[in-house]
Amino acid sequence: QVQLVESGGGLVQAGGSLRLACAASGRTFGNYAMGWFRQAPGKERESVGRISWSGSVTYYSDTVKGRFTISRDNAKKTVYLQMNSLKPEDTAVYSCASARSWTEAARGNYDTWGQGTQVTVSS
């Protein structure tokens, strides 16, 4: 099985940018679809977006579309979340997760989760 560790979180001013990384260890990372999620204080966890194993197909929630970009480097076993034009409402713990296929990811069926990294956006 794959293990996931997020990094890159921190404090940033509104309008700023951050790039999160999710490093994987284990086998067959290149065959996993990957998703990014976030959970804000007092809110339910929500999907930020996902990316296919090849990186050719992506999905973003309407809330972040146009501001966030998901990419992956399978040689480095790492998936990224580039966050631009950050807003205070983006403040949350961001987590990455792996799914066995794009179809399973689209259904919300993820197998492995990282611990998450805190992103705080000040106004």
Side-chain angles (χ1 to χ4, degrees):
Q1 282 293 325
V2 63
Q3 296 180 0
L4 306 174
V5 179
E6 302 93 339
S7 63
L11 176 64
V12 65
Q13 280 192 342
S17 299
L18 282 175
R19 188 178 75 160
L20 307 183
C22 173
S25 61
R27 61 187 182 91
T28 66
F29 172 78
N31 293 324
Y32 283 76
M34 300 294 296
W36 281 99
F37 296 81
R38 68 184 184 184
Q39 186 167 22
K43 301 290 184 65
E44 297 291 325
R45 181 161 63 188
E46 64 176 342
S47 173
V48 174
R50 58 182 179 267
I51 187 169
S52 64
W53 69 268
S54 67
S56 63
V57 182
T58 55
Y59 165 83
Y60 302 96
S61 70
D62 291 338
T63 306
V64 308
K65 187 177 298 183
R67 299 188 298 120
F68 291 10
T69 302
I70 300 173
S71 62
R72 67 191 296 165
D73 185 341
N74 288 344
K76 296 182 180 294
K77 293 187 174 182
T78 302
V79 62
Y80 303 94
L81 178 64
Q82 178 67 48
M83 304 184 294
N84 299 324
S85 301
L86 283 163
K87 307 173 181 179
E89 50 262 46
D90 294 320
T91 295
V93 173
Y94 284 73
S95 302
C96 64
S98 62
R100 297 181 184 275
S101 69
W102 175 260
T103 298
E104 292 302 312
R107 292 171 174 169
N109 297 331
Y110 289 84
D111 300 316
T112 304
W113 295 77
Q115 289 295 309
T117 184
Q118 176 70 46
V119 172
T120 303
V121 184
S122 62
S123 60

